Amino acid sequence: MNQPIIFVSGSKGGVGKSITSMAVVDYLTTEQRNLRLLEADTTNPDVWKSYNRAVESEIVDLDVVDGWIQTINVADAHPFRAIVVNTPARNNDAVRHHGPLLLDSLTELDRPLITLWVINRQRDSLELLNEYMETMKHPAHVVHVVRNGYFGEERKFELFEKSILKDAISQQGGRALYLPDVADRVTDELYTRRITLAEAAEQLKLGDRAELVRWRQSCARLMNEAGI
């Protein structure tokens, strides 16, 4: 089977999709894996701005059918590269209309689809996840939930822990993952200077670098749990 297509989703703004996408790209490059980044957040293409110099990348518009066709064509043209897609906010309507195009292509692409669904502690994160899972059912697709530590410790994600979605995630092979928070001063540097995590690990002040090393190690464990 070819390399996976990795969707970093959440369908709402502010849950941490961009920093999660950066973590995925950083992990793959650190592991010397070939990849291609598709930035679908056309309003705030933060991941592309940081990584377009470091990895092959392009911007796609997943609000329209052409963007989904473009994604499939990129995946077809680069079978031995992992495809990382940073999705836009409020994308569930487009997923409902156009997502089946991608699902119908997975068998011919001979690729698995992995979704990292990033949540905060609010109910709408779970409601949007439920819609997504209903639309994107496929044997080659697994959805993992990423609880963003920016919003609190694991025990504080009570709505998810008590929801039927937790069991639904497990039944389709997914896992409940936890992305630890990283210090604001580190993320401020990343977004202000538009640098990669690897560049930040060399350029930041010593204390900030130590914090980033800790966080990158935690992210690597998360990626291993997700089978990336």
Side-chain angles (χ1 to χ4, degrees), residues 72 100-111 138:
I72 295 166
L101 279 175
L102 177 59
L103 296 181
D104 291 344
S105 302
L106 289 178
T107 300
E108 190 168 350
L109 289 171
D110 194 27
R111 288 180 182 263
H138 191 281

Side-chain angles (χ1 to χ4, degrees), residues 34-221:
N34 290 326
L35 73 132
R36 193 173 183 94
L37 169 67
L38 300 185
E39 174 64 270
D41 189 345
T42 56
T43 303
N44 297 299
D46 291 324
V47 183
W48 182 83
K49 288 179 179 178
S50 292
Y51 276 92
N52 74 89
R53 295 169 289 104
V55 301
E56 289 191 24
S57 58
E58 59 191 282
I59 295 177
V60 300
D61 185 355
L62 292 185
D63 288 327
V64 297
V65 66
D66 282 353
W68 291 86
I69 294 171
Q70 181 181 353
T71 299
I72 295 166
N73 287 340
V74 168
D76 186 41
H78 303 281
F80 304 116
R81 292 175 184 252
I83 307 297
V84 181
V85 185
N86 182 48
T87 67
R90 297 296 174 187
N91 189 232
N92 266 22
D93 285 344
V95 168
R96 188 163 51 251
H97 287 103
H98 310 308
L101 279 175
L102 177 59
L103 296 181
D104 291 344
S105 302
L106 289 178
T107 300
E108 190 168 350
L109 289 171
D110 194 27
R111 288 180 182 263
L113 173 62
I114 300 172
T115 293
L116 299 180
W117 189 275
V118 189
I119 65 170
N120 56 21
R121 290 158 48 200
Q122 297 173 1
R123 186 174 302 278
D124 55 352
S125 281
L126 302 183
E127 291 171 346
L128 292 165
L129 170 58
N130 186 55
E131 292 177 15
Y132 182 81
M133 290 182 65
E134 286 294 321
T135 300
M136 298 293 282
K137 289 180 180 178
H138 191 281
H141 180 205
V142 62
V143 180
H144 302 289
V145 168
V146 179
R147 295 160 292 174
N148 187 353
Y150 177 82
F151 300 104
E153 301 171 0
E154 291 183 67
R155 62 181 176 82
K156 293 188 175 181
F157 288 80
E158 295 177 359
L159 283 177
F160 173 71
E161 291 296 327
K162 296 177 180 178
S163 73
I164 61 173
L165 279 171
K166 183 178 181 182
D167 289 335
I169 289 290
S170 178
Q171 289 169 8
Q172 52 91 61
R175 305 191 66 168
L177 307 172
Y178 183 72
L179 179 71
D181 190 21
V182 62
D184 288 343
R185 59 187 297 154
V186 174
T187 54
D188 288 346
E189 288 289 312
L190 290 172
Y191 289 124
T192 300
R193 296 171 58 183
R194 302 298 186 187
I195 56 177
T196 69
L197 292 168
E199 289 170 335
E202 295 179 351
Q203 298 174 18
L204 299 186
K205 295 178 180 178
L206 180 58
D208 298 336
R209 296 202 310 269
E211 162 68 357
L212 186 56
V213 166
R214 174 199 67 82
W215 187 77
R216 291 173 85 194
Q217 290 172 344
S218 297
C219 290
R221 290 192 290 271

